[in-house]
Amino acid sequence: MTEKCKVFVDLNAATLDKSDEPYGMIKNAAIAVVDGVIDWVGLVTAVPETFKTAPRISLGGRLVTPGLIDCHTHIVHGGDRAVEFEMRLNGASYEEVARAGGGIVSTVKATRAATEDELLTDALRRVDVLIAEGVTCIEVKSGYGLDVETELRMLRVARAIMANRAIVIKTSFLGAHATPTEYVGRDDAYIDEVCIPTLRAAHAEGLVDAVDGFCEGIAFQPAQIARVFDVARELGLPVKLHAEQLSNLGGAKLAASYGATSADHIEYLDEDGVQAMADAGTVAVILPGAFYTLRETQAPPIDLLRKHNVPMALATDINPGSSPLNSLLLTLNMGCTLFRMTPEEALRGVTQHAARALGVHDSGTIAAGMRADLAVWDIRHPAELAYRIGFNPLHSRIFGGSV
């Protein structure tokens, strides 16, 4: 047995793996880890002989879940939009702010002005908050550069996060996020002259794990998104989409037709769109932070998603405008209180289904073959993670088998 083998004992495991038990719960459990990967999980009384001499680490009867996954963030950006927050409280809608030159475009200006070091320093502050909540994997989007230089800079910063912290980072190219001021009224030209060439450059540099877009009246039409997705398909990159947030343009159905890993926001999604997602295996990413911040009233169709067995992920959508939410634990509570998701749906939404939304196959459950990325909690029941507000019960985080 190698020194890299260890057995975590004296724990209750919410495995979220296939099981008849709620949360896939195994009480009085043990988890055997070899070289940072889970080799075995089961009752502590049934630890295989192979691990009898391995070092044992007691977790004191605590609850263990998979490490949490934040599968939709804009965590790399410059500046803030506190003034626009104030504008909205004084009656302006998100769309009115955007059409007045605010919104995404204002963050573009701040992000273009920031150096790589400045962007990284600010991003790490946000990442550290998530790490302290048991997060072990974060998706990071570009989309606040909207020119070749800054989009590539954002993606390089995203990669640098993983070099500076014990965290898995998955990047999404979001060049089709908005039209910059220099291309106002020329959306198609922006897609052809900036977005697609930048995607190709980012892919050539190894900076892209997936391709995203914003399909909305204040952003891009389905036909424009399709041109970007065609290039993603050519490059062998999976796609995802901000869809049906403010209206129904059929974005989720478009994304599903490309086999998208996820369609995100989806407040205005109809049953045809839900069926298309179900047929394609596309995950619905629910983002209560934006719904809350924008004071929306149209909730995502949770019951339809359940009816068609569409997996539901939850994420913070950390961004400076519509979701300045830096807590995945609070997101769990918001998914339950705002949208009536169950605590188990919410927890699966930031583990098992969040991994699926990112196309990640080695995280999200506690099972043999999965990375030993775990969160250890000072709680008795998994529902406590969604129940409490403003309270962090994390005891410790295990990343790649290391506490």
Side-chain angles (χ1 to χ4, degrees), residues 181-218:
T181 54
E182 62 268 27
Y183 276 89
V184 168
R186 298 189 296 136
D187 294 357
D188 286 307
Y190 168 74
I191 292 292
D192 293 334
E193 297 172 12
V194 178
C195 181
I196 289 174
T198 306
L199 170 56
R200 293 187 183 280
H203 176 259
E205 200 173 321
L207 298 175
V208 186
D209 296 319
V211 176
D212 200 348
F214 188 14
C215 186
E216 192 53 71
I218 60 172

PDB file of all heavy atoms in Angstrom, residues 181-218:
ATOM      1  N   THR A 181     -19.411  48.828 -27.636  1.00  0.00           N
ATOM      2  CA  THR A 181     -19.845  50.128 -28.151  1.00  0.00           C
ATOM      3  C   THR A 181     -19.318  50.396 -29.556  1.00  0.00           C
ATOM      4  O   THR A 181     -20.008  51.021 -30.370  1.00  0.00           O
ATOM      5  CB  THR A 181     -19.397  51.252 -27.207  1.00  0.00           C
ATOM      6  OG1 THR A 181     -17.974  51.154 -26.994  1.00  0.00           O
ATOM      7  CG2 THR A 181     -20.102  51.151 -25.871  1.00  0.00           C
ATOM      8  N   GLU A 182     -18.113  49.917 -29.853  1.00  0.00           N
ATOM      9  CA  GLU A 182     -17.538  50.186 -31.179  1.00  0.00           C
ATOM     10  C   GLU A 182     -18.242  49.417 -32.285  1.00  0.00           C
ATOM     11  O   GLU A 182     -18.011  49.675 -33.475  1.00  0.00           O
ATOM     12  CB  GLU A 182     -16.029  49.892 -31.185  1.00  0.00           C
ATOM     13  CG  GLU A 182     -15.639  48.463 -30.894  1.00  0.00           C
ATOM     14  CD  GLU A 182     -15.375  48.192 -29.418  1.00  0.00           C
ATOM     15  OE1 GLU A 182     -15.951  48.901 -28.555  1.00  0.00           O
ATOM     16  OE2 GLU A 182     -14.594  47.272 -29.134  1.00  0.00           O
ATOM     17  N   TYR A 183     -19.114  48.480 -31.926  1.00  0.00           N
ATOM     18  CA  TYR A 183     -19.868  47.716 -32.917  1.00  0.00           C
ATOM     19  C   TYR A 183     -21.381  47.902 -32.772  1.00  0.00           C
ATOM     20  O   TYR A 183     -22.151  47.095 -33.310  1.00  0.00           O
ATOM     21  CB  TYR A 183     -19.536  46.224 -32.806  1.00  0.00           C
ATOM     22  CG  TYR A 183     -18.291  45.815 -33.563  1.00  0.00           C
ATOM     23  CD1 TYR A 183     -17.042  45.871 -32.961  1.00  0.00           C
ATOM     24  CD2 TYR A 183     -18.358  45.373 -34.884  1.00  0.00           C
ATOM     25  CE1 TYR A 183     -15.889  45.488 -33.651  1.00  0.00           C
ATOM     26  CE2 TYR A 183     -17.226  44.991 -35.579  1.00  0.00           C
ATOM     27  CZ  TYR A 183     -15.990  45.057 -34.962  1.00  0.00           C
ATOM     28  OH  TYR A 183     -14.860  44.680 -35.647  1.00  0.00           O
ATOM     29  N   VAL A 184     -21.807  48.933 -32.092  1.00  0.00           N
ATOM     30  CA  VAL A 184     -23.239  49.159 -31.896  1.00  0.00           C
ATOM     31  C   VAL A 184     -23.959  49.211 -33.244  1.00  0.00           C
ATOM     32  O   VAL A 184     -23.528  49.908 -34.176  1.00  0.00           O
ATOM     33  CB  VAL A 184     -23.494  50.465 -31.116  1.00  0.00           C
ATOM     34  CG1 VAL A 184     -24.976  50.835 -31.168  1.00  0.00           C
ATOM     35  CG2 VAL A 184     -23.070  50.302 -29.668  1.00  0.00           C
ATOM     36  N   GLY A 185     -25.033  48.430 -33.350  1.00  0.00           N
ATOM     37  CA  GLY A 185     -25.794  48.371 -34.596  1.00  0.00           C
ATOM     38  C   GLY A 185     -25.191  47.452 -35.627  1.00  0.00           C
ATOM     39  O   GLY A 185     -25.739  47.304 -36.727  1.00  0.00           O
ATOM     40  N   ARG A 186     -24.085  46.816 -35.286  1.00  0.00           N
ATOM     41  CA  ARG A 186     -23.412  45.918 -36.241  1.00  0.00           C
ATOM     42  C   ARG A 186     -23.112  44.578 -35.543  1.00  0.00           C
ATOM     43  O   ARG A 186     -21.974  44.116 -35.514  1.00  0.00           O
ATOM     44  CB  ARG A 186     -22.134  46.565 -36.758  1.00  0.00           C
ATOM     45  CG  ARG A 186     -22.364  47.866 -37.523  1.00  0.00           C
ATOM     46  CD  ARG A 186     -21.081  48.351 -38.189  1.00  0.00           C
ATOM     47  NE  ARG A 186     -20.062  48.696 -37.204  1.00  0.00           N
ATOM     48  CZ  ARG A 186     -18.780  48.351 -37.303  1.00  0.00           C
ATOM     49  NH1 ARG A 186     -18.376  47.602 -38.333  1.00  0.00           N
ATOM     50  NH2 ARG A 186     -17.911  48.721 -36.382  1.00  0.00           N
ATOM     51  N   ASP A 187     -24.138  43.994 -34.999  1.00  0.00           N
ATOM     52  CA  ASP A 187     -23.978  42.746 -34.245  1.00  0.00           C
ATOM     53  C   ASP A 187     -23.349  41.643 -35.081  1.00  0.00           C
ATOM     54  O   ASP A 187     -22.467  40.907 -34.613  1.00  0.00           O
ATOM     55  CB  ASP A 187     -25.331  42.268 -33.717  1.00  0.00           C
ATOM     56  CG  ASP A 187     -25.933  43.206 -32.688  1.00  0.00           C
ATOM     57  OD1 ASP A 187     -25.272  44.205 -32.338  1.00  0.00           O
ATOM     58  OD2 ASP A 187     -27.058  42.938 -32.237  1.00  0.00           O
ATOM     59  N   ASP A 188     -23.794  41.499 -36.322  1.00  0.00           N
ATOM     60  CA  ASP A 188     -23.262  40.438 -37.172  1.00  0.00           C
ATOM     61  C   ASP A 188     -21.780  40.649 -37.466  1.00  0.00           C
ATOM     62  O   ASP A 188     -21.002  39.681 -37.495  1.00  0.00           O
ATOM     63  CB  ASP A 188     -24.051  40.360 -38.480  1.00  0.00           C
ATOM     64  CG  ASP A 188     -25.432  39.751 -38.283  1.00  0.00           C
ATOM     65  OD1 ASP A 188     -25.514  38.657 -37.711  1.00  0.00           O
ATOM     66  OD2 ASP A 188     -26.431  40.386 -38.673  1.00  0.00           O
ATOM     67  N   ALA A 189     -21.417  41.904 -37.672  1.00  0.00           N
ATOM     68  CA  ALA A 189     -20.006  42.192 -37.914  1.00  0.00           C
ATOM     69  C   ALA A 189     -19.164  41.840 -36.689  1.00  0.00           C
ATOM     70  O   ALA A 189     -18.046  41.308 -36.815  1.00  0.00           O
ATOM     71  CB  ALA A 189     -19.825  43.665 -38.283  1.00  0.00           C
ATOM     72  N   TYR A 190     -19.686  42.127 -35.511  1.00  0.00           N
ATOM     73  CA  TYR A 190     -18.953  41.781 -34.288  1.00  0.00           C
ATOM     74  C   TYR A 190     -18.747  40.266 -34.190  1.00  0.00           C
ATOM     75  O   TYR A 190     -17.642  39.796 -33.883  1.00  0.00           O
ATOM     76  CB  TYR A 190     -19.689  42.290 -33.044  1.00  0.00           C
ATOM     77  CG  TYR A 190     -19.121  41.691 -31.770  1.00  0.00           C
ATOM     78  CD1 TYR A 190     -17.892  42.118 -31.276  1.00  0.00           C
ATOM     79  CD2 TYR A 190     -19.778  40.649 -31.112  1.00  0.00           C
ATOM     80  CE1 TYR A 190     -17.332  41.527 -30.144  1.00  0.00           C
ATOM     81  CE2 TYR A 190     -19.234  40.062 -29.988  1.00  0.00           C
ATOM     82  CZ  TYR A 190     -18.010  40.509 -29.504  1.00  0.00           C
ATOM     83  OH  TYR A 190     -17.460  39.912 -28.401  1.00  0.00           O
ATOM     84  N   ILE A 191     -19.800  39.505 -34.468  1.00  0.00           N
ATOM     85  CA  ILE A 191     -19.682  38.046 -34.407  1.00  0.00           C
ATOM     86  C   ILE A 191     -18.603  37.556 -35.371  1.00  0.00           C
ATOM     87  O   ILE A 191     -17.758  36.720 -35.013  1.00  0.00           O
ATOM     88  CB  ILE A 191     -21.034  37.374 -34.736  1.00  0.00           C
ATOM     89  CG1 ILE A 191     -22.061  37.649 -33.628  1.00  0.00           C
ATOM     90  CG2 ILE A 191     -20.856  35.876 -34.959  1.00  0.00           C
ATOM     91  CD1 ILE A 191     -21.769  36.980 -32.314  1.00  0.00           C
ATOM     92  N   ASP A 192     -18.615  38.091 -36.604  1.00  0.00           N
ATOM     93  CA  ASP A 192     -17.699  37.614 -37.637  1.00  0.00           C
ATOM     94  C   ASP A 192     -16.272  38.129 -37.456  1.00  0.00           C
ATOM     95  O   ASP A 192     -15.304  37.398 -37.717  1.00  0.00           O
ATOM     96  CB  ASP A 192     -18.206  38.027 -39.016  1.00  0.00           C
ATOM     97  CG  ASP A 192     -19.499  37.314 -39.394  1.00  0.00           C
ATOM     98  OD1 ASP A 192     -19.726  36.208 -38.870  1.00  0.00           O
ATOM     99  OD2 ASP A 192     -20.283  37.872 -40.187  1.00  0.00           O
ATOM    100  N   GLU A 193     -16.137  39.380 -37.023  1.00  0.00           N
ATOM    101  CA  GLU A 193     -14.822  40.022 -37.002  1.00  0.00           C
ATOM    102  C   GLU A 193     -14.101  39.892 -35.661  1.00  0.00           C
ATOM    103  O   GLU A 193     -12.865  39.990 -35.614  1.00  0.00           O
ATOM    104  CB  GLU A 193     -14.959  41.503 -37.367  1.00  0.00           C
ATOM    105  CG  GLU A 193     -15.479  41.723 -38.788  1.00  0.00           C
ATOM    106  CD  GLU A 193     -15.797  43.190 -39.072  1.00  0.00           C
ATOM    107  OE1 GLU A 193     -15.401  44.058 -38.269  1.00  0.00           O
ATOM    108  OE2 GLU A 193     -16.466  43.456 -40.094  1.00  0.00           O
ATOM    109  N   VAL A 194     -14.847  39.707 -34.573  1.00  0.00           N
ATOM    110  CA  VAL A 194     -14.225  39.655 -33.240  1.00  0.00           C
ATOM    111  C   VAL A 194     -14.503  38.339 -32.526  1.00  0.00           C
ATOM    112  O   VAL A 194     -13.579  37.620 -32.137  1.00  0.00           O
ATOM    113  CB  VAL A 194     -14.700  40.836 -32.359  1.00  0.00           C
ATOM    114  CG1 VAL A 194     -14.071  40.740 -30.965  1.00  0.00           C
ATOM    115  CG2 VAL A 194     -14.349  42.164 -33.007  1.00  0.00           C
ATOM    116  N   CYS A 195     -15.770  38.010 -32.375  1.00  0.00           N
ATOM    117  CA  CYS A 195     -16.132  36.858 -31.549  1.00  0.00           C
ATOM    118  C   CYS A 195     -15.539  35.554 -32.078  1.00  0.00           C
ATOM    119  O   CYS A 195     -14.832  34.832 -31.354  1.00  0.00           O
ATOM    120  CB  CYS A 195     -17.656  36.756 -31.437  1.00  0.00           C
ATOM    121  SG  CYS A 195     -18.226  35.378 -30.415  1.00  0.00           S
ATOM    122  N   ILE A 196     -15.813  35.233 -33.318  1.00  0.00           N
ATOM    123  CA  ILE A 196     -15.355  33.955 -33.863  1.00  0.00           C
ATOM    124  C   ILE A 196     -13.824  33.894 -33.983  1.00  0.00           C
ATOM    125  O   ILE A 196     -13.208  32.891 -33.589  1.00  0.00           O
ATOM    126  CB  ILE A 196     -16.054  33.663 -35.204  1.00  0.00           C
ATOM    127  CG1 ILE A 196     -17.530  33.324 -34.934  1.00  0.00           C
ATOM    128  CG2 ILE A 196     -15.367  32.523 -35.951  1.00  0.00           C
ATOM    129  CD1 ILE A 196     -18.380  33.145 -36.171  1.00  0.00           C
ATOM    130  N   PRO A 197     -13.147  34.941 -34.490  1.00  0.00           N
ATOM    131  CA  PRO A 197     -11.681  34.884 -34.513  1.00  0.00           C
ATOM    132  C   PRO A 197     -11.071  34.745 -33.115  1.00  0.00           C
ATOM    133  O   PRO A 197     -10.064  34.051 -32.948  1.00  0.00           O
ATOM    134  CB  PRO A 197     -11.293  36.220 -35.161  1.00  0.00           C
ATOM    135  CG  PRO A 197     -12.468  36.592 -36.003  1.00  0.00           C
ATOM    136  CD  PRO A 197     -13.653  36.130 -35.232  1.00  0.00           C
ATOM    137  N   THR A 198     -11.693  35.381 -32.107  1.00  0.00           N
ATOM    138  CA  THR A 198     -11.170  35.267 -30.751  1.00  0.00           C
ATOM    139  C   THR A 198     -11.365  33.855 -30.212  1.00  0.00           C
ATOM    140  O   THR A 198     -10.487  33.312 -29.521  1.00  0.00           O
ATOM    141  CB  THR A 198     -11.854  36.276 -29.812  1.00  0.00           C
ATOM    142  OG1 THR A 198     -11.726  37.597 -30.361  1.00  0.00           O
ATOM    143  CG2 THR A 198     -11.211  36.269 -28.435  1.00  0.00           C
ATOM    144  N   LEU A 199     -12.498  33.253 -30.531  1.00  0.00           N
ATOM    145  CA  LEU A 199     -12.724  31.865 -30.131  1.00  0.00           C
ATOM    146  C   LEU A 199     -11.640  30.966 -30.715  1.00  0.00           C
ATOM    147  O   LEU A 199     -11.078  30.108 -30.010  1.00  0.00           O
ATOM    148  CB  LEU A 199     -14.110  31.405 -30.596  1.00  0.00           C
ATOM    149  CG  LEU A 199     -14.413  29.905 -30.477  1.00  0.00           C
ATOM    150  CD1 LEU A 199     -14.213  29.409 -29.059  1.00  0.00           C
ATOM    151  CD2 LEU A 199     -15.830  29.611 -30.967  1.00  0.00           C
ATOM    152  N   ARG A 200     -11.346  31.162 -31.970  1.00  0.00           N
ATOM    153  CA  ARG A 200     -10.309  30.330 -32.605  1.00  0.00           C
ATOM    154  C   ARG A 200      -8.946  30.551 -31.933  1.00  0.00           C
ATOM    155  O   ARG A 200      -8.199  29.596 -31.686  1.00  0.00           O
ATOM    156  CB  ARG A 200     -10.227  30.641 -34.097  1.00  0.00           C
ATOM    157  CG  ARG A 200     -11.468  30.221 -34.893  1.00  0.00           C
ATOM    158  CD  ARG A 200     -11.242  30.392 -36.385  1.00  0.00           C
ATOM    159  NE  ARG A 200     -12.423  30.072 -37.168  1.00  0.00           N
ATOM    160  CZ  ARG A 200     -12.823  28.843 -37.484  1.00  0.00           C
ATOM    161  NH1 ARG A 200     -12.094  27.800 -37.079  1.00  0.00           N
ATOM    162  NH2 ARG A 200     -13.906  28.640 -38.198  1.00  0.00           N
ATOM    163  N   ALA A 201      -8.640  31.807 -31.615  1.00  0.00           N
ATOM    164  CA  ALA A 201      -7.354  32.109 -30.973  1.00  0.00           C
ATOM    165  C   ALA A 201      -7.290  31.513 -29.568  1.00  0.00           C
ATOM    166  O   ALA A 201      -6.263  30.959 -29.160  1.00  0.00           O
ATOM    167  CB  ALA A 201      -7.156  33.628 -30.912  1.00  0.00           C
ATOM    168  N   ALA A 202      -8.383  31.603 -28.829  1.00  0.00           N
ATOM    169  CA  ALA A 202      -8.418  31.060 -27.470  1.00  0.00           C
ATOM    170  C   ALA A 202      -8.288  29.540 -27.485  1.00  0.00           C
ATOM    171  O   ALA A 202      -7.588  28.949 -26.650  1.00  0.00           O
ATOM    172  CB  ALA A 202      -9.718  31.474 -26.783  1.00  0.00           C
ATOM    173  N   HIS A 203      -8.951  28.912 -28.443  1.00  0.00           N
ATOM    174  CA  HIS A 203      -8.848  27.458 -28.566  1.00  0.00           C
ATOM    175  C   HIS A 203      -7.426  27.047 -28.915  1.00  0.00           C
ATOM    176  O   HIS A 203      -6.885  26.073 -28.354  1.00  0.00           O
ATOM    177  CB  HIS A 203      -9.826  26.947 -29.633  1.00  0.00           C
ATOM    178  CG  HIS A 203      -9.721  25.483 -29.889  1.00  0.00           C
ATOM    179  ND1 HIS A 203      -9.041  24.970 -30.972  1.00  0.00           N
ATOM    180  CD2 HIS A 203     -10.194  24.413 -29.198  1.00  0.00           C
ATOM    181  CE1 HIS A 203      -9.097  23.652 -30.936  1.00  0.00           C
ATOM    182  NE2 HIS A 203      -9.798  23.281 -29.886  1.00  0.00           N
ATOM    183  N   ALA A 204      -6.801  27.786 -29.814  1.00  0.00           N
ATOM    184  CA  ALA A 204      -5.426  27.465 -30.212  1.00  0.00           C
ATOM    185  C   ALA A 204      -4.466  27.577 -29.038  1.00  0.00           C
ATOM    186  O   ALA A 204      -3.458  26.863 -28.968  1.00  0.00           O
ATOM    187  CB  ALA A 204      -4.987  28.388 -31.352  1.00  0.00           C
ATOM    188  N   GLU A 205      -4.780  28.453 -28.095  1.00  0.00           N
ATOM    189  CA  GLU A 205      -3.927  28.662 -26.921  1.00  0.00           C
ATOM    190  C   GLU A 205      -4.291  27.708 -25.770  1.00  0.00           C
ATOM    191  O   GLU A 205      -3.680  27.743 -24.707  1.00  0.00           O
ATOM    192  CB  GLU A 205      -4.049  30.122 -26.448  1.00  0.00           C
ATOM    193  CG  GLU A 205      -2.914  30.597 -25.576  1.00  0.00           C
ATOM    194  CD  GLU A 205      -2.980  32.086 -25.269  1.00  0.00           C
ATOM    195  OE1 GLU A 205      -3.340  32.871 -26.174  1.00  0.00           O
ATOM    196  OE2 GLU A 205      -2.678  32.461 -24.115  1.00  0.00           O
ATOM    197  N   GLY A 206      -5.297  26.876 -25.971  1.00  0.00           N
ATOM    198  CA  GLY A 206      -5.687  25.919 -24.946  1.00  0.00           C
ATOM    199  C   GLY A 206      -6.413  26.538 -23.772  1.00  0.00           C
ATOM    200  O   GLY A 206      -6.331  26.043 -22.642  1.00  0.00           O
ATOM    201  N   LEU A 207      -7.167  27.608 -24.024  1.00  0.00           N
ATOM    202  CA  LEU A 207      -7.805  28.353 -22.939  1.00  0.00           C
ATOM    203  C   LEU A 207      -9.289  28.052 -22.773  1.00  0.00           C
ATOM    204  O   LEU A 207      -9.914  28.586 -21.854  1.00  0.00           O
ATOM    205  CB  LEU A 207      -7.634  29.859 -23.185  1.00  0.00           C
ATOM    206  CG  LEU A 207      -6.207  30.400 -23.209  1.00  0.00           C
ATOM    207  CD1 LEU A 207      -6.203  31.882 -23.596  1.00  0.00           C
ATOM    208  CD2 LEU A 207      -5.534  30.204 -21.859  1.00  0.00           C
ATOM    209  N   VAL A 208      -9.858  27.223 -23.645  1.00  0.00           N
ATOM    210  CA  VAL A 208     -11.314  27.071 -23.669  1.00  0.00           C
ATOM    211  C   VAL A 208     -11.740  25.632 -23.401  1.00  0.00           C
ATOM    212  O   VAL A 208     -11.265  24.705 -24.057  1.00  0.00           O
ATOM    213  CB  VAL A 208     -11.887  27.506 -25.037  1.00  0.00           C
ATOM    214  CG1 VAL A 208     -13.413  27.479 -25.011  1.00  0.00           C
ATOM    215  CG2 VAL A 208     -11.389  28.880 -25.429  1.00  0.00           C
ATOM    216  N   ASP A 209     -12.643  25.456 -22.443  1.00  0.00           N
ATOM    217  CA  ASP A 209     -13.236  24.147 -22.192  1.00  0.00           C
ATOM    218  C   ASP A 209     -14.636  24.031 -22.797  1.00  0.00           C
ATOM    219  O   ASP A 209     -15.109  22.927 -23.061  1.00  0.00           O
ATOM    220  CB  ASP A 209     -13.323  23.875 -20.691  1.00  0.00           C
ATOM    221  CG  ASP A 209     -11.954  23.798 -20.033  1.00  0.00           C
ATOM    222  OD1 ASP A 209     -11.044  23.196 -20.637  1.00  0.00           O
ATOM    223  OD2 ASP A 209     -11.786  24.341 -18.926  1.00  0.00           O
ATOM    224  N   ALA A 210     -15.328  25.162 -22.972  1.00  0.00           N
ATOM    225  CA  ALA A 210     -16.686  25.163 -23.531  1.00  0.00           C
ATOM    226  C   ALA A 210     -16.972  26.537 -24.116  1.00  0.00           C
ATOM    227  O   ALA A 210     -16.253  27.511 -23.851  1.00  0.00           O
ATOM    228  CB  ALA A 210     -17.717  24.810 -22.454  1.00  0.00           C
ATOM    229  N   VAL A 211     -18.050  26.617 -24.906  1.00  0.00           N
ATOM    230  CA  VAL A 211     -18.444  27.876 -25.547  1.00  0.00           C
ATOM    231  C   VAL A 211     -19.857  28.238 -25.104  1.00  0.00           C
ATOM    232  O   VAL A 211     -20.766  27.403 -25.123  1.00  0.00           O
ATOM    233  CB  VAL A 211     -18.384  27.751 -27.080  1.00  0.00           C
ATOM    234  CG1 VAL A 211     -18.896  29.025 -27.753  1.00  0.00           C
ATOM    235  CG2 VAL A 211     -16.947  27.459 -27.520  1.00  0.00           C
ATOM    236  N   ASP A 212     -20.037  29.488 -24.693  1.00  0.00           N
ATOM    237  CA  ASP A 212     -21.306  29.982 -24.170  1.00  0.00           C
ATOM    238  C   ASP A 212     -21.764  31.158 -25.018  1.00  0.00           C
ATOM    239  O   ASP A 212     -21.014  31.691 -25.852  1.00  0.00           O
ATOM    240  CB  ASP A 212     -21.107  30.422 -22.714  1.00  0.00           C
ATOM    241  CG  ASP A 212     -22.398  30.507 -21.921  1.00  0.00           C
ATOM    242  OD1 ASP A 212     -23.488  30.458 -22.525  1.00  0.00           O
ATOM    243  OD2 ASP A 212     -22.320  30.653 -20.687  1.00  0.00           O
ATOM    244  N   GLY A 213     -23.004  31.592 -24.817  1.00  0.00           N
ATOM    245  CA  GLY A 213     -23.542  32.763 -25.493  1.00  0.00           C
ATOM    246  C   GLY A 213     -24.721  33.302 -24.708  1.00  0.00           C
ATOM    247  O   GLY A 213     -25.235  32.638 -23.795  1.00  0.00           O
ATOM    248  N   PHE A 214     -25.141  34.501 -25.047  1.00  0.00           N
ATOM    249  CA  PHE A 214     -26.299  35.139 -24.411  1.00  0.00           C
ATOM    250  C   PHE A 214     -27.328  35.371 -25.500  1.00  0.00           C
ATOM    251  O   PHE A 214     -27.179  36.262 -26.342  1.00  0.00           O
ATOM    252  CB  PHE A 214     -25.873  36.449 -23.755  1.00  0.00           C
ATOM    253  CG  PHE A 214     -26.929  37.116 -22.903  1.00  0.00           C
ATOM    254  CD1 PHE A 214     -28.082  36.456 -22.493  1.00  0.00           C
ATOM    255  CD2 PHE A 214     -26.754  38.436 -22.494  1.00  0.00           C
ATOM    256  CE1 PHE A 214     -29.038  37.077 -21.711  1.00  0.00           C
ATOM    257  CE2 PHE A 214     -27.712  39.075 -21.703  1.00  0.00           C
ATOM    258  CZ  PHE A 214     -28.853  38.396 -21.309  1.00  0.00           C
ATOM    259  N   CYS A 215     -28.363  34.547 -25.500  1.00  0.00           N
ATOM    260  CA  CYS A 215     -29.421  34.624 -26.514  1.00  0.00           C
ATOM    261  C   CYS A 215     -30.592  35.398 -25.921  1.00  0.00           C
ATOM    262  O   CYS A 215     -31.373  34.855 -25.127  1.00  0.00           O
ATOM    263  CB  CYS A 215     -29.833  33.215 -26.938  1.00  0.00           C
ATOM    264  SG  CYS A 215     -31.004  33.166 -28.310  1.00  0.00           S
ATOM    265  N   GLU A 216     -30.713  36.668 -26.286  1.00  0.00           N
ATOM    266  CA  GLU A 216     -31.722  37.532 -25.676  1.00  0.00           C
ATOM    267  C   GLU A 216     -31.900  38.777 -26.536  1.00  0.00           C
ATOM    268  O   GLU A 216     -31.034  39.106 -27.352  1.00  0.00           O
ATOM    269  CB  GLU A 216     -31.280  37.910 -24.255  1.00  0.00           C
ATOM    270  CG  GLU A 216     -32.338  38.560 -23.382  1.00  0.00           C
ATOM    271  CD  GLU A 216     -33.623  37.754 -23.302  1.00  0.00           C
ATOM    272  OE1 GLU A 216     -33.641  36.690 -22.661  1.00  0.00           O
ATOM    273  OE2 GLU A 216     -34.616  38.197 -23.929  1.00  0.00           O
ATOM    274  N   GLY A 217     -33.019  39.469 -26.358  1.00  0.00           N
ATOM    275  CA  GLY A 217     -33.290  40.669 -27.138  1.00  0.00           C
ATOM    276  C   GLY A 217     -32.229  41.733 -26.986  1.00  0.00           C
ATOM    277  O   GLY A 217     -31.954  42.489 -27.920  1.00  0.00           O
ATOM    278  N   ILE A 218     -31.609  41.830 -25.782  1.00  0.00           N
ATOM    279  CA  ILE A 218     -30.559  42.829 -25.558  1.00  0.00           C
ATOM    280  C   ILE A 218     -29.178  42.275 -25.877  1.00  0.00           C
ATOM    281  O   ILE A 218     -28.177  42.958 -25.662  1.00  0.00           O
ATOM    282  CB  ILE A 218     -30.583  43.342 -24.103  1.00  0.00           C
ATOM    283  CG1 ILE A 218     -30.355  42.193 -23.113  1.00  0.00           C
ATOM    284  CG2 ILE A 218     -31.889  44.064 -23.807  1.00  0.00           C
ATOM    285  CD1 ILE A 218     -30.177  42.642 -21.675  1.00  0.00           C
TER     286      ILE A 218
END
